[in-house]
Amino acid sequence: MIIDVHSHTPQFRTAVPTENRRLHHTWRPDRSVDSVYSWNDYLEAQKPADKSIVFGVAWAPGERTGGVNGFNEPGDVAVGVNDVTAAFANAHPDRLIGFMSVHPHDPKALEEIERSRTDLKLRGIKMGANYQVFDPLESRALAIYREAERHGLPILFHIGTSPVRMAPIRYAHPLVVDEIAMRYPGLKIIMAHMGHPWTVDTAVVVRKHPNVYADVSGLLYRPYTFYEGMIKATEWNVLDKLLFASDYPITTPAETLHALRNVNAIVEGTALPRVPSDKIEQIIHRDSLALLGLS
């Protein structure tokens, strides 16, 4: 079974109106990304994955059209993001597992966790302190982690850099997760993107904490960074804690599968070390849901 632990909720149930399409040119260096898509667009792209975790992002209270390309980005879901995710995930329960998102500055954040967990049947939490612009170690954020730990809700954090000017990079450094994991050792955590470009920092945090994992999403379009990160994970003996993920729509499962199986191509003809091919296949077929307590 192939499980994609990192994908984003479609904004449209049916075909996307032409005026709502958005191309982003800074998300990856090799091509633009069409960031507004439909249920069918998503399901078609996700066919290589047997199951996918899907989520949106909860923007700050009062921010009605937030987006990872910057504030007031049209086409993203801000109000009712968890309802939109739940409608999609619950319509395809054989293929999708929905995660909620909350913002620590929302005075009803804990109530929203309870509503999303019980009424909407969402099974984890997506947070990105840099994009949502909150200090990941402030008390309001800690309350969310505590609630997630109590209910067995894994949290997927955006970890790593971003081209978004208003997203503080320091809030998404891998060492932030070290602090969180020490305080909440029972909390299951996924560090997105192997914390690029700080892949070695991610490797040592993952190595240190039994319940902390990293996903391999969004790395393939920088081949040397991808190779280097996988070698760091090999040297620190944490390949068994890497989870398959695409970051759709920025990449697709098909692209990610191909890149994983060809990660060593960049050093062909050299004496540089290789990522073991059997370990790569284990990443691809890992039962991430069991590791996260979501089976």
Side-chain angles (χ1 to χ4, degrees):
M1 180 176 288
I2 296 176
I3 300 163
D4 184 345
V5 304
H6 190 143
S7 67
H8 297 268
T9 303
Q11 300 92 338
F12 286 87
R13 185 183 292 254
T14 56
V16 179
T18 301
E19 64 270 21
N20 288 95
R21 290 207 170 273
R22 293 292 183 276
L23 279 178
H24 293 297
H25 308 293
T26 60
W27 284 1
R28 53 187 291 174
D30 56 339
R31 66 169 173 83
S32 299
V33 174
D34 193 346
S35 64
V36 182
Y37 44 100
S38 69
W39 284 21
N40 284 340
D41 294 333
Y42 176 101
L43 293 170
E44 182 66 27
Q46 290 296 118
K47 277 185 176 178
D50 297 289
K51 289 184 179 292
S52 302
I53 291 174
V54 62
F55 44 73
V57 177
W59 305 111
E63 176 55 48
R64 300 184 62 82
T65 57
V68 294
N69 199 52
F71 296 125
N72 299 313
E73 165 65 16
D76 206 349
V77 176
V79 176
V81 61
N82 294 328
D83 297 273
V84 173
T85 296
F88 183 46
N90 293 333
H92 301 278
D94 56 326
R95 292 187 60 182
L96 302 177
I97 296 167
F99 274 24
M100 70 189 79
S101 185
V102 292
H103 197 293
H105 297 174
D106 181 352
K108 295 184 177 180
L110 298 186
E111 294 176 32
E112 180 62 13
I113 290 175
E114 184 63 15
R115 184 185 78 92
S116 296
R117 182 181 73 86
T118 57
D119 296 348
L120 301 183
K121 310 303 180 186
L122 300 177
R123 304 186 63 193
I125 303 175
K126 158 68 174 185
M127 301 185 78
N130 61 328
Y131 292 131
Q132 295 174 290
V133 194
F134 67 86
D135 184 337
L137 298 177
E138 67 167 279
S139 60
R140 290 172 292 186
L142 299 182
I144 290 172
Y145 313 151
R146 184 167 57 249
E147 192 75 357
E149 182 184 46
R150 185 164 77 92
H151 290 294
L153 299 168
I155 298 182
L156 188 151
F157 288 98
H158 173 88
I159 300 295
T161 192
S162 165
V164 177
R165 289 185 63 202
M166 299 304 293
I169 292 175
R170 70 185 185 280
Y171 289 168
H173 194 279
L175 295 185
V176 168
V177 174
D178 183 41
E179 297 285 342
I180 295 169
M182 284 191 289
R183 299 181 194 210
Y184 305 100
L187 176 62
K188 303 275 189 178
I189 294 173
I190 305 170
M191 302 172 69
H193 317 305
M194 287 184 69
H196 67 84
W198 306 292
T199 51
V200 71
D201 300 83
T202 297
V204 298
V205 173
V206 165
R207 172 178 176 258
K208 178 181 177 183
H209 297 287
N211 285 321
V212 177
Y213 303 88
D215 79 36
V216 298
S217 68
L219 296 171
L220 63 90
Y221 38 79
R222 295 183 178 91
Y224 184 75
T225 298
F226 185 30
Y227 163 78
E228 181 186 44
M230 294 293 288
I231 287 296
K232 296 290 177 57
T234 303
E235 292 178 342
W236 286 94
N237 197 30
V238 294
L239 287 173
D240 62 336
K241 298 192 75 183
L242 299 186
L243 310 182
F244 180 81
S246 69
D247 196 19
Y248 181 81
I250 300 177
T251 63
T252 66
E255 286 181 292
T256 307
L257 287 167
H258 181 266
L260 277 167
R261 288 173 170 149
N262 290 275
V263 68
N264 293 315
I266 197 169
V267 295
E268 186 175 347
T270 76
L272 289 167
R274 269 63 172 171
V275 183
S277 58
D278 61 326
K279 295 289 188 179
I280 292 170
E281 290 302 315
Q282 288 173 21
I283 292 168
I284 291 170
H285 297 285
R286 177 151 293 134
D287 189 351
S288 301
L289 300 182
L291 294 175
L292 299 171
L294 298 175
S295 294

PDB file of all heavy atoms in Angstrom, residues 25 34 40 73 75 91 127 133 140 150 152 162 183 210 215 226 228 251-252 261 292 295:
ATOM      1  N   HIS A  25       4.726  30.889  -9.490  1.00  0.00           N
ATOM      2  CA  HIS A  25       6.010  30.699 -10.167  1.00  0.00           C
ATOM      3  C   HIS A  25       7.184  30.533  -9.202  1.00  0.00           C
ATOM      4  O   HIS A  25       8.309  30.300  -9.659  1.00  0.00           O
ATOM      5  CB  HIS A  25       6.269  31.890 -11.098  1.00  0.00           C
ATOM      6  CG  HIS A  25       5.137  32.189 -12.026  1.00  0.00           C
ATOM      7  ND1 HIS A  25       4.759  31.331 -13.048  1.00  0.00           N
ATOM      8  CD2 HIS A  25       4.268  33.244 -12.083  1.00  0.00           C
ATOM      9  CE1 HIS A  25       3.717  31.842 -13.693  1.00  0.00           C
ATOM     10  NE2 HIS A  25       3.401  33.002 -13.124  1.00  0.00           N
ATOM     11  N   ASP A  34      -0.215  25.147 -10.800  1.00  0.00           N
ATOM     12  CA  ASP A  34      -1.620  25.553 -10.808  1.00  0.00           C
ATOM     13  C   ASP A  34      -2.183  25.207  -9.434  1.00  0.00           C
ATOM     14  O   ASP A  34      -2.367  24.045  -9.099  1.00  0.00           O
ATOM     15  CB  ASP A  34      -2.371  24.798 -11.908  1.00  0.00           C
ATOM     16  CG  ASP A  34      -3.750  25.381 -12.187  1.00  0.00           C
ATOM     17  OD1 ASP A  34      -4.218  26.192 -11.356  1.00  0.00           O
ATOM     18  OD2 ASP A  34      -4.357  25.022 -13.208  1.00  0.00           O
ATOM     19  N   ASN A  40     -11.998  16.295  -8.875  1.00  0.00           N
ATOM     20  CA  ASN A  40     -11.544  15.341  -9.889  1.00  0.00           C
ATOM     21  C   ASN A  40     -10.078  15.530 -10.248  1.00  0.00           C
ATOM     22  O   ASN A  40      -9.358  14.555 -10.477  1.00  0.00           O
ATOM     23  CB  ASN A  40     -12.411  15.459 -11.147  1.00  0.00           C
ATOM     24  CG  ASN A  40     -13.769  14.808 -10.971  1.00  0.00           C
ATOM     25  OD1 ASN A  40     -13.960  13.973 -10.086  1.00  0.00           O
ATOM     26  ND2 ASN A  40     -14.717  15.188 -11.822  1.00  0.00           N
ATOM     27  N   GLU A  73      -4.873  36.200  -0.714  1.00  0.00           N
ATOM     28  CA  GLU A  73      -4.732  35.426  -1.945  1.00  0.00           C
ATOM     29  C   GLU A  73      -6.082  34.807  -2.303  1.00  0.00           C
ATOM     30  O   GLU A  73      -6.614  33.983  -1.559  1.00  0.00           O
ATOM     31  CB  GLU A  73      -3.694  34.314  -1.747  1.00  0.00           C
ATOM     32  CG  GLU A  73      -3.699  33.228  -2.816  1.00  0.00           C
ATOM     33  CD  GLU A  73      -3.313  33.736  -4.196  1.00  0.00           C
ATOM     34  OE1 GLU A  73      -2.759  34.845  -4.304  1.00  0.00           O
ATOM     35  OE2 GLU A  73      -3.584  33.028  -5.176  1.00  0.00           O
ATOM     36  N   GLY A  75      -8.891  32.413  -4.011  1.00  0.00           N
ATOM     37  CA  GLY A  75      -8.890  31.024  -4.446  1.00  0.00           C
ATOM     38  C   GLY A  75      -8.545  30.045  -3.357  1.00  0.00           C
ATOM     39  O   GLY A  75      -8.694  28.836  -3.537  1.00  0.00           O
ATOM     40  N   ALA A  91     -16.543  12.055   1.562  1.00  0.00           N
ATOM     41  CA  ALA A  91     -17.136  11.585   0.306  1.00  0.00           C
ATOM     42  C   ALA A  91     -16.311  10.459  -0.320  1.00  0.00           C
ATOM     43  O   ALA A  91     -16.816   9.720  -1.173  1.00  0.00           O
ATOM     44  CB  ALA A  91     -17.269  12.742  -0.678  1.00  0.00           C
ATOM     45  N   MET A 127      -0.553  22.239  10.804  1.00  0.00           N
ATOM     46  CA  MET A 127      -0.177  23.570  11.256  1.00  0.00           C
ATOM     47  C   MET A 127       1.080  24.017  10.522  1.00  0.00           C
ATOM     48  O   MET A 127       1.944  23.191  10.188  1.00  0.00           O
ATOM     49  CB  MET A 127       0.065  23.592  12.770  1.00  0.00           C
ATOM     50  CG  MET A 127      -1.145  23.158  13.597  1.00  0.00           C
ATOM     51  SD  MET A 127      -0.916  23.320  15.371  1.00  0.00           S
ATOM     52  CE  MET A 127      -1.146  25.093  15.563  1.00  0.00           C
ATOM     53  N   VAL A 133       1.693  32.544  10.857  1.00  0.00           N
ATOM     54  CA  VAL A 133       2.320  33.660  11.570  1.00  0.00           C
ATOM     55  C   VAL A 133       1.965  33.653  13.059  1.00  0.00           C
ATOM     56  O   VAL A 133       1.275  34.527  13.576  1.00  0.00           O
ATOM     57  CB  VAL A 133       1.992  35.030  10.930  1.00  0.00           C
ATOM     58  CG1 VAL A 133       2.941  36.098  11.488  1.00  0.00           C
ATOM     59  CG2 VAL A 133       2.114  34.982   9.414  1.00  0.00           C
ATOM     60  N   ARG A 140      -0.626  29.708  23.566  1.00  0.00           N
ATOM     61  CA  ARG A 140      -1.826  29.325  22.824  1.00  0.00           C
ATOM     62  C   ARG A 140      -1.551  28.167  21.863  1.00  0.00           C
ATOM     63  O   ARG A 140      -2.416  27.312  21.642  1.00  0.00           O
ATOM     64  CB  ARG A 140      -2.380  30.535  22.066  1.00  0.00           C
ATOM     65  CG  ARG A 140      -2.977  31.597  22.962  1.00  0.00           C
ATOM     66  CD  ARG A 140      -3.349  32.857  22.207  1.00  0.00           C
ATOM     67  NE  ARG A 140      -2.179  33.569  21.706  1.00  0.00           N
ATOM     68  CZ  ARG A 140      -2.230  34.759  21.112  1.00  0.00           C
ATOM     69  NH1 ARG A 140      -3.400  35.362  20.928  1.00  0.00           N
ATOM     70  NH2 ARG A 140      -1.118  35.359  20.702  1.00  0.00           N
ATOM     71  N   ARG A 150      -3.593  14.592  23.887  1.00  0.00           N
ATOM     72  CA  ARG A 150      -4.629  13.971  24.716  1.00  0.00           C
ATOM     73  C   ARG A 150      -5.577  13.108  23.893  1.00  0.00           C
ATOM     74  O   ARG A 150      -6.025  12.043  24.355  1.00  0.00           O
ATOM     75  CB  ARG A 150      -5.409  15.062  25.452  1.00  0.00           C
ATOM     76  CG  ARG A 150      -6.435  14.550  26.446  1.00  0.00           C
ATOM     77  CD  ARG A 150      -6.869  15.654  27.390  1.00  0.00           C
ATOM     78  NE  ARG A 150      -7.789  16.579  26.783  1.00  0.00           N
ATOM     79  CZ  ARG A 150      -9.126  16.458  26.843  1.00  0.00           C
ATOM     80  NH1 ARG A 150      -9.658  15.441  27.482  1.00  0.00           N
ATOM     81  NH2 ARG A 150      -9.901  17.358  26.269  1.00  0.00           N
ATOM     82  N   GLY A 152      -4.852  11.829  20.782  1.00  0.00           N
ATOM     83  CA  GLY A 152      -4.194  10.984  19.797  1.00  0.00           C
ATOM     84  C   GLY A 152      -4.284  11.512  18.381  1.00  0.00           C
ATOM     85  O   GLY A 152      -4.367  10.737  17.418  1.00  0.00           O
ATOM     86  N   SER A 162      10.537  28.921   3.010  1.00  0.00           N
ATOM     87  CA  SER A 162       9.408  29.284   2.161  1.00  0.00           C
ATOM     88  C   SER A 162       9.755  30.584   1.439  1.00  0.00           C
ATOM     89  O   SER A 162      10.456  31.437   1.993  1.00  0.00           O
ATOM     90  CB  SER A 162       8.151  29.486   3.008  1.00  0.00           C
ATOM     91  OG  SER A 162       7.152  30.162   2.270  1.00  0.00           O
ATOM     92  N   ARG A 183       8.315  18.510  25.253  1.00  0.00           N
ATOM     93  CA  ARG A 183       7.212  18.865  26.136  1.00  0.00           C
ATOM     94  C   ARG A 183       6.037  17.898  26.014  1.00  0.00           C
ATOM     95  O   ARG A 183       5.314  17.685  26.983  1.00  0.00           O
ATOM     96  CB  ARG A 183       6.736  20.288  25.814  1.00  0.00           C
ATOM     97  CG  ARG A 183       7.807  21.354  26.003  1.00  0.00           C
ATOM     98  CD  ARG A 183       7.267  22.740  25.703  1.00  0.00           C
ATOM     99  NE  ARG A 183       8.347  23.716  25.553  1.00  0.00           N
ATOM    100  CZ  ARG A 183       8.242  24.990  25.845  1.00  0.00           C
ATOM    101  NH1 ARG A 183       7.108  25.476  26.316  1.00  0.00           N
ATOM    102  NH2 ARG A 183       9.260  25.812  25.673  1.00  0.00           N
ATOM    103  N   PRO A 210      11.010   9.282  19.590  1.00  0.00           N
ATOM    104  CA  PRO A 210      10.335   8.105  19.021  1.00  0.00           C
ATOM    105  C   PRO A 210       9.078   8.425  18.229  1.00  0.00           C
ATOM    106  O   PRO A 210       8.747   7.703  17.279  1.00  0.00           O
ATOM    107  CB  PRO A 210      10.001   7.263  20.259  1.00  0.00           C
ATOM    108  CG  PRO A 210      10.976   7.688  21.301  1.00  0.00           C
ATOM    109  CD  PRO A 210      11.232   9.137  21.049  1.00  0.00           C
ATOM    110  N   ASP A 215       8.392  13.766   6.473  1.00  0.00           N
ATOM    111  CA  ASP A 215       7.948  13.326   5.154  1.00  0.00           C
ATOM    112  C   ASP A 215       8.900  13.841   4.081  1.00  0.00           C
ATOM    113  O   ASP A 215       9.703  14.741   4.321  1.00  0.00           O
ATOM    114  CB  ASP A 215       6.482  13.692   4.897  1.00  0.00           C
ATOM    115  CG  ASP A 215       6.216  15.150   4.508  1.00  0.00           C
ATOM    116  OD1 ASP A 215       7.036  15.744   3.788  1.00  0.00           O
ATOM    117  OD2 ASP A 215       5.166  15.689   4.918  1.00  0.00           O
ATOM    118  N   PHE A 226      17.689  16.998  -2.453  1.00  0.00           N
ATOM    119  CA  PHE A 226      16.958  15.755  -2.197  1.00  0.00           C
ATOM    120  C   PHE A 226      17.936  14.621  -1.906  1.00  0.00           C
ATOM    121  O   PHE A 226      17.807  13.916  -0.890  1.00  0.00           O
ATOM    122  CB  PHE A 226      16.093  15.434  -3.417  1.00  0.00           C
ATOM    123  CG  PHE A 226      15.191  14.243  -3.255  1.00  0.00           C
ATOM    124  CD1 PHE A 226      14.681  13.881  -2.014  1.00  0.00           C
ATOM    125  CD2 PHE A 226      14.823  13.495  -4.357  1.00  0.00           C
ATOM    126  CE1 PHE A 226      13.834  12.785  -1.879  1.00  0.00           C
ATOM    127  CE2 PHE A 226      13.984  12.406  -4.240  1.00  0.00           C
ATOM    128  CZ  PHE A 226      13.488  12.043  -3.000  1.00  0.00           C
ATOM    129  N   GLU A 228      21.078  14.843  -0.981  1.00  0.00           N
ATOM    130  CA  GLU A 228      21.814  15.143   0.246  1.00  0.00           C
ATOM    131  C   GLU A 228      20.967  14.824   1.476  1.00  0.00           C
ATOM    132  O   GLU A 228      21.450  14.233   2.449  1.00  0.00           O
ATOM    133  CB  GLU A 228      22.220  16.609   0.253  1.00  0.00           C
ATOM    134  CG  GLU A 228      23.027  17.016   1.482  1.00  0.00           C
ATOM    135  CD  GLU A 228      23.279  18.505   1.527  1.00  0.00           C
ATOM    136  OE1 GLU A 228      22.333  19.273   1.255  1.00  0.00           O
ATOM    137  OE2 GLU A 228      24.409  18.895   1.838  1.00  0.00           O
ATOM    138  N   THR A 251       3.701  19.023  -6.018  1.00  0.00           N
ATOM    139  CA  THR A 251       4.209  17.848  -6.737  1.00  0.00           C
ATOM    140  C   THR A 251       3.107  16.798  -6.743  1.00  0.00           C
ATOM    141  O   THR A 251       2.080  16.967  -6.086  1.00  0.00           O
ATOM    142  CB  THR A 251       5.480  17.273  -6.085  1.00  0.00           C
ATOM    143  OG1 THR A 251       5.168  16.804  -4.761  1.00  0.00           O
ATOM    144  CG2 THR A 251       6.580  18.299  -5.986  1.00  0.00           C
ATOM    145  N   THR A 252       3.331  15.716  -7.426  1.00  0.00           N
ATOM    146  CA  THR A 252       2.355  14.638  -7.497  1.00  0.00           C
ATOM    147  C   THR A 252       2.964  13.354  -6.949  1.00  0.00           C
ATOM    148  O   THR A 252       4.201  13.217  -6.892  1.00  0.00           O
ATOM    149  CB  THR A 252       1.911  14.379  -8.939  1.00  0.00           C
ATOM    150  OG1 THR A 252       3.047  13.889  -9.683  1.00  0.00           O
ATOM    151  CG2 THR A 252       1.370  15.646  -9.587  1.00  0.00           C
ATOM    152  N   ARG A 261      12.923   6.691  -6.565  1.00  0.00           N
ATOM    153  CA  ARG A 261      13.587   5.529  -7.165  1.00  0.00           C
ATOM    154  C   ARG A 261      14.798   5.922  -8.004  1.00  0.00           C
ATOM    155  O   ARG A 261      15.587   5.059  -8.395  1.00  0.00           O
ATOM    156  CB  ARG A 261      12.576   4.735  -7.993  1.00  0.00           C
ATOM    157  CG  ARG A 261      11.588   3.991  -7.096  1.00  0.00           C
ATOM    158  CD  ARG A 261      10.467   3.340  -7.853  1.00  0.00           C
ATOM    159  NE  ARG A 261       9.693   2.460  -6.954  1.00  0.00           N
ATOM    160  CZ  ARG A 261       8.394   2.218  -7.079  1.00  0.00           C
ATOM    161  NH1 ARG A 261       7.699   2.786  -8.057  1.00  0.00           N
ATOM    162  NH2 ARG A 261       7.776   1.401  -6.222  1.00  0.00           N
ATOM    163  N   LEU A 292       1.268   6.375  12.809  1.00  0.00           N
ATOM    164  CA  LEU A 292       0.619   7.576  13.331  1.00  0.00           C
ATOM    165  C   LEU A 292      -0.592   7.271  14.200  1.00  0.00           C
ATOM    166  O   LEU A 292      -1.254   8.184  14.690  1.00  0.00           O
ATOM    167  CB  LEU A 292       0.203   8.488  12.175  1.00  0.00           C
ATOM    168  CG  LEU A 292       1.339   9.004  11.293  1.00  0.00           C
ATOM    169  CD1 LEU A 292       0.779   9.712  10.070  1.00  0.00           C
ATOM    170  CD2 LEU A 292       2.273   9.933  12.079  1.00  0.00           C
ATOM    171  N   SER A 295      -4.591   3.693  11.880  1.00  0.00           N
ATOM    172  CA  SER A 295      -5.079   2.486  11.183  1.00  0.00           C
ATOM    173  C   SER A 295      -6.537   2.228  11.561  1.00  0.00           C
ATOM    174  O   SER A 295      -6.959   2.491  12.693  1.00  0.00           O
ATOM    175  CB  SER A 295      -4.230   1.283  11.562  1.00  0.00           C
ATOM    176  OG  SER A 295      -2.915   1.448  11.082  1.00  0.00           O
TER     177      SER A 295
END
